[in-house]
Amino acid sequence: ETHGITFRIQISVRELLDTDVLLKLLFHLPVSYPSALPDISVSSDQLTRAQCMDVREKLLDQAKKHLPEPMVHDLLLWVQQDLKCVIRQPAAVCSGKTTLSKGRSAEDGIWMLLLHLDHMRAKAKYIKTVEKWASELRLTGRLMFMGKIILILLQGDRSNIKEYLVLQKTSKVDVDSSGKKCKEKMMSVLCETEAQSQHQRFQTFEVKEYSTLDELQKEFETAGLTTLFSEFVPPLLK
């Protein structure tokens, strides 16, 4: 009732560059759907990550044309009919990690995302998962621990920030009190905004622990994010 509905669909698109392509689509429908756009994630073993991101962006463009009507069925029909026109590069089977196409930063601009997590029960596994997503989506920033406060600060292309949010909301990243794998249900999006000229760009993604609030504040100040810290972090201590 508060998080909406998430579901996965697999479809095979035939006769695309003489091969069949299996697309794995993840839709997250917010409670305000169809008045609001769904979050969409696209993956395929036969396409590069850059190609999957192209498909996702085109799907979101198509979704905007259907507001405020239900659209998932129409989006599936569209991708089956027009996938060949969407993909910019020849389809190829990929081995290992793929990277996003260069130049996407110039298209989308650099965005920032600040998340607050209530807790991590399976801390080591959770951290490893966050590091993996940040690497694959070419996001930089910090996973920060200070006392009971857990923050994730990310910088990167807006489309990749959106993709990260979908993964964070829909993947089983932690365990519940009984040790069973579970999704993150107690995450808060504190801020999602375009980076400004005074903001410093993190060059890497790092996991850091801070002994005091002053240490954490200095991390934000060094990155030109004093206002972001003042607005969102102190209230977490109350």
Side-chain angles (χ1 to χ4, degrees), residues 167-201:
L167 290 170
Q168 183 77 56
K169 291 176 181 177
T170 60
S171 303
K172 293 183 177 180
V173 291
D174 206 359
V175 296
D176 59 21
S177 57
S178 63
K180 185 178 179 181
K181 292 181 179 180
C182 65
K183 297 177 183 178
E184 178 57 74
K185 297 181 179 179
M186 300 185 71
M187 176 194 77
S188 302
V189 179
L190 299 180
C191 181
E192 182 181 356
T193 185
E194 188 170 10
Q196 304 301 313
S197 58
Q198 69 269 25
H199 299 153
Q200 299 295 317
R201 179 77 191 271

Side-chain angles (χ1 to χ4, degrees), residues 66-193:
H66 292 279
L67 289 172
E69 301 295 330
M71 64 192 70
V72 173
H73 179 67
D74 290 318
L75 295 179
L76 294 176
L77 291 177
W78 177 84
V79 79
Q80 287 179 310
Q81 294 169 1
D82 296 298
L83 182 62
K84 190 172 184 178
C85 299
V86 172
I87 296 176
R88 301 173 184 173
Q89 309 164 19
V93 176
C94 304
S95 58
K97 294 182 179 179
T98 59
T99 58
L100 292 163
S101 58
K102 295 179 181 178
R104 193 170 296 279
S105 294
E107 294 174 17
D108 295 347
I110 301 302
W111 279 66
M112 291 194 311
L113 177 69
L114 181 62
L115 303 176
H116 173 241
L117 305 181
D118 184 75
H119 62 272
M120 287 183 181
R121 285 196 174 94
K123 185 176 179 179
K125 180 179 179 296
Y126 205 130
I127 290 174
K128 188 175 181 180
T129 300
V130 172
E131 289 178 318
K132 177 176 179 289
W133 289 342
S135 174
E136 290 180 348
L137 293 170
R138 294 178 66 184
L139 300 174
T140 59
R142 300 286 186 266
L143 171 53
M144 301 176 281
F145 296 90
M146 200 287 293
K148 293 184 178 180
I149 294 179
I150 306 172
L151 299 171
I152 301 177
L153 177 60
L154 297 171
Q155 295 176 336
D157 299 349
R158 187 179 188 184
S159 56
N160 297 352
I161 292 285
K162 294 290 187 184
E163 179 84 358
Y164 180 92
L165 267 177
V166 172
L167 290 170
Q168 183 77 56
K169 291 176 181 177
T170 60
S171 303
K172 293 183 177 180
V173 291
D174 206 359
V175 296
D176 59 21
S177 57
S178 63
K180 185 178 179 181
K181 292 181 179 180
C182 65
K183 297 177 183 178
E184 178 57 74
K185 297 181 179 179
M186 300 185 71
M187 176 194 77
S188 302
V189 179
L190 299 180
C191 181
E192 182 181 356
T193 185

Side-chain angles (χ1 to χ4, degrees), residues 33-47:
Y33 173 86
S35 297
L37 291 174
D39 281 327
I40 303 173
S41 177
V42 178
S43 61
S44 173
D45 293 336
Q46 293 148 287
L47 300 178

